[in-house]
Amino acid sequence: MTQVLIAGVFGKMGQQVAAMMTAAKDLTIVGGLAPEATAKRAFPVFTSLEEINVQADVWVDFTLPQAAATNAEYALTHGMNAVIGTSGLSEQTQARLGEVAKAAGARLLIVPNFAISAVLMMQFAAKAAKYFPDAEIVEAHHSDKLDAPSGTAKATAKVIAAARTEKPLAPHQDAPARGEWLDDVPVHALRLPGYVAQEEVLFGAAGESLTIKQVSFDRSSFMAGVALAVRQVHTLPVGLTVGLDALL
Amino acid sequence: MTQVLIAGVFGKMGQQVAAMMTAAKDLTIVGGLAPEATAKRAFPVFTSLEEINVQADVWVDFTLPQAAATNAEYALTHGMNAVIGTSGLSEQTQARLGEVAKAAGARLLIVPNFAISAVLMMQFAAKAAKYFPDAEIVEAHHSDKLDAPSGTAKATAKVIAAARTEKPLAPHQDAPARGEWLDDVPVHALRLPGYVAQEEVLFGAAGESLTIKQVSFDRSSFMAGVALAVRQVHTLPVGLTVGLDALL
Amino acid sequence: MTQVLIAGVFGKMGQQVAAMMTAAKDLTIVGGLAPEATAKRAFPVFTSLEEINVQADVWVDFTLPQAAATNAEYALTHGMNAVIGTSGLSEQTQARLGEVAKAAGARLLIVPNFAISAVLMMQFAAKAAKYFPDAEIVEAHHSDKLDAPSGTAKATAKVIAAARTEKPLAPHQDAPARGEWLDDVPVHALRLPGYVAQEEVLFGAAGESLTIKQVSFDRSSFMAGVALAVRQVHTLPVGLTVGLDALL
Amino acid sequence: MTQVLIAGVFGKMGQQVAAMMTAAKDLTIVGGLAPEATAKRAFPVFTSLEEINVQADVWVDFTLPQAAATNAEYALTHGMNAVIGTSGLSEQTQARLGEVAKAAGARLLIVPNFAISAVLMMQFAAKAAKYFPDAEIVEAHHSDKLDAPSGTAKATAKVIAAARTEKPLAPHQDAPARGEWLDDVPVHALRLPGYVAQEEVLFGAAGESLTIKQVSFDRSSFMAGVALAVRQVHTLPVGLTVGLDALL
């Protein structure tokens, strides 16, 4: 039985994480943290670090960058491993917290993307790129997303470029329809109502093609990744780990 | 039984057209035309217009622009309808030949693309655009194709723009990953080994999407369109018609 | 400005329809009908037909079969056209209500599926089947859906079979992996978590293929179809019409 | 520089392998084997094992089962590693040849499928199945293929079943549209003109999906796998290895 403390327990992610853990047989929520205890829960909800009077195995954090840094430091120095889903921590803060973890003999896992399908897609793309240097990425999101391409698409292009062992056959082309070239991987971004978030990596070689596609349409897609992180964080080396793929 | 004369009968398309017509029960090849009669056929092969001593219902032309124009004039003024698959005839030439057809009471059908799947895709895209103004096009071709986007993609964008009754919801974005905007339709072109020629039109609206995809991987995909054109050209109005969709 | 009365205004569909119409500039809700007026609205909510003291152009019904029949009769004989989204009306009831409409000089539109993408998919499939007799259907739904194949898939198979002008090339096969053969159209049903509702029709011929795919992931996808029905029902012939495709 | 001897050098695969190796800078063909030397080649073509008077690093075999067994025995006992692409060797023959290889201190690699995209697809499917127990397979082939499902689809289902750590959420259903259930993986087979050979594995979980798709449309798709096998066979353990994935 893994005992968990959830920081940001009344936020959108925090509420869903709490529901998931309540349903899971091998996870117990021993407490929550929130600026205000706006609702009753089956576990104690603390409104400051000072109030906390329980012990957990894992601290799970879905708050804001500054709070998350303070929280992580507290958790790591109070005998807990920490899983941070809060986004926006600077690289310096991440490195500093890694040192705190190391000194405390604890694990700190910072996760930019909890969707297991997205993490697997990137792993598979890295492996395929070793044999198929020619690759393109097509991502599609709802029409309100204003940046393009998506962070996942950029990260995937980087991973493909790093894994290639040969140069692609298809020549570089500057035509606007050929998309944005990131590390010699053309990236295409679609923005359409009726789509939520998806990404497709297309590999081609003489006479064959291989495509890996990932679709997220709901925050529920992150729960399996959160559960995995909480269950397995203790298997990681002491100190900082970034990304769920260390566990996949 | 429709009687056909094939100009360019030893070219790549001509040979395949001849094989298809030989197998079809309702089509007879009464003659071929080629600069040199390099091989024996079950039908007479003439090496010049002067030699021709047979009468056909339909003249089919897969030659070169200049020859095709001369051939079409001959056919239209000798009691035949003409189906021209030769590409590259200028708009003036097309218009002039249309006048010749009208004067002769004959039909001239010029076909840029015989793939029925491509023609249907464009028809469907036009209809869908009436209800779904938000659309994007993703086409993929082999990595040797240097122009981007493809002619079919450009034509499809034009057809979508003409059919729209509302403006798209997704705002215009200049980011390179958003592709080339043709008439407010973002067009994305992929060039990969392992692909031949395909095009996908994606429509999106609140909570739903509709996608139409067409793949050609072989010259054989044109045969059904050629057969349709030859069988149905007599149902068209006298004069010039451009494109197979008049028959679909 | 079209004036509308919504029956079942507190149901899941009714609420969404009311929100959509409130936002639409050319539609006004003049009243709602519900067994109990459980909440305040900007329009009067009546709890029985007797209470209704307003006049509308169109009656929209998302209730239960028995109520819908009574409601439709009321609407048609009180100077309104009726758009019925309630499912489960027997063919006899539909025919009887059609007679009522005819006698009253009104239009009755019964709509099994308001998703425009699904209706267009079926129209496109019917057209494509004229040229491509070889077709298969692959539908995918969430893993809670216990019937297979879906009603839309069955309806699409019927439409394809009716439109074919030739027999398919692919021979009939009884292997279980070849799916369920409906009118010589193999239908395959997938049931997976992470999917909501989608359907794909695949056509193939020598050297080419054409695919039409429709995805619904949200009740919001029906709103455009409801709006279209309400706006255009007056253009239909007097009497009964079934299906949105009469308007597309 | 790896020196290669090709058995079955005038067969369809043999000819393509020879062309590929002629173009590769690090591979040299030192000889070919064929029942009759029907054409001149830049390397000697032997018509029997007795005639062979050259030494190679790797024996490549695309012949018939009986010949392949005799050939492999010859190669393994004459100082060569062997890559066997010939299909149809019984499990007993494979085991016996493995013993021959072991005794000779040589490597024997038997490869059922040289398409790297297919081998990667199976590897990725195995990994994904650890996290996503719900999976279905959809394969599509040309309409002349009479068996269904394909061997690759069956092998993929087996690999998924072996890798699962949990039972799928979707209940077992016997409806014909739900396909053939192999190890609790529903498999769907499409047979359509216009398709060559493709396979798609679909994984689904709450709010997300992951799809891996592989398309082969040409024998050229096997060449990269043959080259990989020839270049890397020496890195395998002495004795028998089955399948290209040992090298990926």
Side-chain angles (χ1 to χ4, degrees):
Chain A
M1 183 69 78
T2 305
Q3 302 195 306
V4 189
L5 208 152
I6 305 172
V9 74
F10 292 135
K12 280 184 189 175
M13 274 297 287
Q15 288 190 48
Q16 241 181 82
V17 168
M20 176 272 286
M21 290 190 175
T22 303
K25 285 182 190 151
D26 62 333
L27 303 174
T28 314
I29 309 174
V30 297
L33 179 68
E36 287 181 81
T38 52
K40 280 243 161 187
R41 289 290 182 264
F43 47 82
V45 178
F46 310 106
T47 57
S48 70
L49 294 174
E50 291 71 39
E51 275 182 27
I52 297 178
N53 60 2
V54 295
Q55 184 62 29
D57 302 307
V58 183
W59 180 282
V60 173
D61 206 287
F62 289 98
T63 59
L64 294 167
Q66 214 169 339
T70 315
N71 292 347
E73 190 153 359
Y74 172 88
L76 295 166
T77 56
H78 283 73
M80 304 181 223
N81 293 318
V83 173
I84 310 298
T86 308
S87 59
L89 277 77
S90 71
E91 297 216 351
Q92 294 101 298
T93 304
Q94 296 191 19
R96 187 177 61 74
L97 292 171
E99 293 309 312
V100 173
K102 229 181 241 170
R107 287 91 184 162
L108 170 63
L109 175 60
I110 297 178
V111 182
N113 190 342
F114 279 103
I116 293 180
S117 59
V119 179
L120 288 178
M121 181 191 64
M122 276 194 260
Q123 286 190 351
F124 297 165
K127 176 124 196 208
K130 289 172 64 178
Y131 306 98
F132 298 118
D134 284 276
E136 305 212 10
I137 295 172
V138 180
E139 56 98 328
H141 283 82
H142 55 90
S143 50
D144 296 332
K145 184 174 174 67
L146 290 180
D147 61 311
S150 68
T152 306
K154 282 183 201 167
T156 308
K158 202 175 281 185
V159 148
I160 289 170
R164 269 175 180 149
T165 57
E166 287 178 63
K167 285 177 73 101
L169 287 174
H172 187 97
Q173 290 178 295
D174 276 327
R178 295 286 290 114
E180 180 169 354
W181 291 62
L182 298 174
D183 299 303
D184 251 1
V185 179
V187 179
H188 311 270
L190 283 65
R191 297 290 173 266
L192 281 169
Y195 285 75
V196 180
Q198 64 184 53
E199 188 182 322
E200 201 171 359
V201 190
L202 301 97
F203 293 95
E208 67 183 324
S209 67
L210 179 66
T211 305
I212 305 157
K213 182 176 178 181
Q214 182 269 340
V215 181
S216 299
F217 69 91
D218 204 288
R219 200 172 280 121
S220 69
S221 67
F222 302 135
M223 292 307 113
V226 174
L228 179 75
V230 167
R231 284 180 182 127
Q232 300 291 331
V233 62
H234 69 92
T235 65
L236 292 171
V238 160
L240 172 68
T241 302
V242 176
L244 207 59
D245 63 324
L247 293 174
L248 290 179
Chain B
M1 183 69 78
T2 305
Q3 301 196 307
V4 189
L5 208 153
I6 305 172
V9 74
F10 292 135
K12 280 184 187 174
M13 275 296 287
Q15 287 190 48
Q16 243 182 80
V17 167
M20 175 272 285
M21 289 189 174
T22 302
K25 283 182 190 150
D26 62 333
L27 303 174
T28 313
I29 309 174
V30 297
L33 179 68
E36 287 180 83
T38 53
K40 280 243 159 185
R41 288 291 182 265
F43 47 82
V45 178
F46 310 105
T47 57
S48 69
L49 294 174
E50 291 72 35
E51 276 181 28
I52 297 177
N53 60 3
V54 296
Q55 183 61 30
D57 302 308
V58 184
W59 179 281
V60 173
D61 204 288
F62 290 99
T63 60
L64 294 168
Q66 214 169 339
T70 314
N71 294 345
E73 190 153 359
Y74 173 91
L76 295 166
T77 56
H78 283 72
M80 304 180 225
N81 293 319
V83 172
I84 310 296
T86 308
S87 59
L89 278 77
S90 71
E91 298 217 350
Q92 294 101 299
T93 304
Q94 297 191 18
R96 187 178 59 76
L97 292 171
E99 293 308 313
V100 173
K102 228 180 242 170
R107 288 90 183 163
L108 169 64
L109 175 60
I110 297 179
V111 181
N113 191 342
F114 279 103
I116 292 179
S117 59
V119 179
L120 288 178
M121 182 190 64
M122 277 194 261
Q123 286 190 350
F124 297 165
K127 175 124 195 209
K130 289 172 62 178
Y131 306 98
F132 299 118
D134 284 275
E136 305 211 8
I137 295 172
V138 180
E139 55 98 328
H141 283 81
H142 54 89
S143 49
D144 296 333
K145 184 174 173 68
L146 291 179
D147 61 311
S150 69
T152 306
K154 282 184 203 169
T156 309
K158 201 174 283 185
V159 148
I160 290 171
R164 271 174 179 149
T165 57
E166 285 178 63
K167 284 176 74 101
L169 288 175
H172 187 98
Q173 289 178 295
D174 276 325
R178 295 288 288 114
E180 181 169 354
W181 292 61
L182 298 174
D183 298 303
D184 250 1
V185 180
V187 179
H188 311 269
L190 283 64
R191 297 289 173 266
L192 281 169
Y195 285 75
V196 180
Q198 64 185 53
E199 188 181 324
E200 203 170 356
V201 189
L202 301 96
F203 293 95
E208 67 182 323
S209 67
L210 179 66
T211 306
I212 306 157
K213 182 178 178 180
Q214 182 269 340
V215 181
S216 300
F217 69 91
D218 203 288
R219 199 171 283 119
S220 69
S221 66
F222 302 134
M223 292 308 113
V226 174
L228 179 75
V230 168
R231 284 180 182 127
Q232 301 291 331
V233 62
H234 70 91
T235 66
L236 293 171
V238 160
L240 171 68
T241 302
V242 177
L244 206 59
D245 63 321
L247 294 174
L248 290 178
Chain C
M1 183 69 77
T2 305
Q3 301 196 305
V4 189
L5 206 152
I6 305 173
V9 75
F10 292 134
K12 281 184 188 174
M13 275 297 288
Q15 287 189 49
Q16 243 182 79
V17 168
M20 175 273 286
M21 290 189 174
T22 303
K25 284 183 191 150
D26 61 334
L27 303 174
T28 314
I29 309 174
V30 296
L33 179 69
E36 288 181 81
T38 52
K40 279 242 161 187
R41 289 291 182 265
F43 46 82
V45 177
F46 310 106
T47 58
S48 70
L49 294 174
E50 292 71 37
E51 276 182 27
I52 297 177
N53 61 2
V54 296
Q55 184 62 30
D57 302 307
V58 183
W59 179 282
V60 174
D61 204 287
F62 289 98
T63 60
L64 293 167
Q66 216 171 338
T70 314
N71 293 346
E73 191 153 358
Y74 173 90
L76 295 166
T77 56
H78 283 74
M80 305 180 223
N81 294 318
V83 172
I84 311 296
T86 308
S87 59
L89 277 78
S90 70
E91 298 217 350
Q92 293 100 301
T93 306
Q94 297 190 18
R96 188 178 58 76
L97 292 171
E99 293 308 312
V100 173
K102 229 180 241 171
R107 287 91 183 162
L108 169 63
L109 174 61
I110 298 178
V111 182
N113 192 342
F114 279 104
I116 292 178
S117 59
V119 179
L120 288 177
M121 181 190 64
M122 277 193 261
Q123 287 190 348
F124 297 165
K127 176 124 195 209
K130 289 172 62 179
Y131 306 99
F132 298 119
D134 284 275
E136 305 212 9
I137 296 173
V138 180
E139 54 97 329
H141 283 83
H142 55 89
S143 49
D144 296 333
K145 184 174 174 66
L146 291 179
D147 62 311
S150 69
T152 306
K154 282 183 202 168
T156 309
K158 202 174 282 185
V159 148
I160 289 171
R164 271 174 178 150
T165 57
E166 285 179 64
K167 284 175 75 100
L169 288 175
H172 186 98
Q173 289 178 297
D174 275 326
R178 294 288 288 113
E180 180 169 354
W181 292 62
L182 298 174
D183 299 303
D184 252 2
V185 179
V187 179
H188 311 269
L190 283 65
R191 296 290 172 267
L192 281 170
Y195 284 75
V196 180
Q198 64 185 54
E199 188 182 324
E200 202 171 358
V201 190
L202 301 96
F203 293 95
E208 66 182 323
S209 67
L210 179 65
T211 306
I212 306 157
K213 183 177 177 181
Q214 181 268 342
V215 182
S216 299
F217 70 90
D218 203 287
R219 199 171 283 120
S220 68
S221 67
F222 302 134
M223 292 307 113
V226 174
L228 179 75
V230 167
R231 284 179 181 127
Q232 301 292 330
V233 62
H234 69 91
T235 66
L236 293 172
V238 160
L240 171 67
T241 302
V242 176
L244 206 60
D245 62 323
L247 294 174
L248 292 177
Chain D
M1 183 70 76
T2 304
Q3 301 195 306
V4 190
L5 207 151
I6 304 173
V9 73
F10 292 134
K12 280 184 187 173
M13 275 296 287
Q15 288 190 48
Q16 241 181 82
V17 168
M20 176 272 286
M21 290 189 173
T22 302
K25 283 183 190 152
D26 62 334
L27 303 174
T28 315
I29 308 174
V30 297
L33 180 68
E36 288 181 80
T38 52
K40 280 244 162 187
R41 288 290 182 265
F43 46 82
V45 178
F46 309 106
T47 59
S48 70
L49 294 175
E50 291 72 37
E51 274 183 26
I52 297 177
N53 60 2
V54 296
Q55 184 60 30
D57 302 308
V58 183
W59 180 281
V60 173
D61 205 286
F62 288 99
T63 60
L64 293 167
Q66 216 171 337
T70 313
N71 292 346
E73 191 154 358
Y74 173 90
L76 295 166
T77 56
H78 283 75
M80 305 180 223
N81 293 319
V83 172
I84 310 296
T86 308
S87 59
L89 278 77
S90 70
E91 297 216 351
Q92 294 101 299
T93 304
Q94 297 191 19
R96 188 176 61 73
L97 292 172
E99 292 309 311
V100 172
K102 229 181 240 170
R107 287 92 184 160
L108 170 62
L109 175 59
I110 297 178
V111 182
N113 191 342
F114 279 103
I116 292 179
S117 59
V119 179
L120 288 178
M121 182 191 63
M122 277 193 261
Q123 286 190 350
F124 297 165
K127 176 125 196 208
K130 290 172 64 178
Y131 306 98
F132 298 119
D134 284 276
E136 304 212 10
I137 296 173
V138 180
E139 55 97 329
H141 283 83
H142 55 89
S143 50
D144 295 333
K145 184 174 173 67
L146 291 179
D147 61 310
S150 69
T152 306
K154 283 184 202 169
T156 309
K158 203 175 282 185
V159 147
I160 289 170
R164 270 175 179 149
T165 57
E166 286 178 64
K167 284 176 74 103
L169 287 175
H172 186 98
Q173 289 179 295
D174 276 326
R178 294 287 288 112
E180 180 169 354
W181 292 62
L182 298 173
D183 298 302
D184 252 1
V185 180
V187 179
H188 310 269
L190 282 65
R191 298 288 172 266
L192 281 170
Y195 285 75
V196 180
Q198 64 183 55
E199 188 182 322
E200 202 170 358
V201 190
L202 301 96
F203 294 96
E208 66 182 323
S209 68
L210 179 66
T211 305
I212 306 158
K213 182 177 178 181
Q214 181 268 341
V215 182
S216 300
F217 69 90
D218 202 290
R219 198 171 284 119
S220 69
S221 67
F222 302 134
M223 292 307 112
V226 173
L228 179 75
V230 167
R231 284 179 182 127
Q232 301 290 332
V233 61
H234 69 92
T235 66
L236 292 171
V238 160
L240 173 67
T241 302
V242 177
L244 207 59
D245 63 324
L247 294 173
L248 290 178

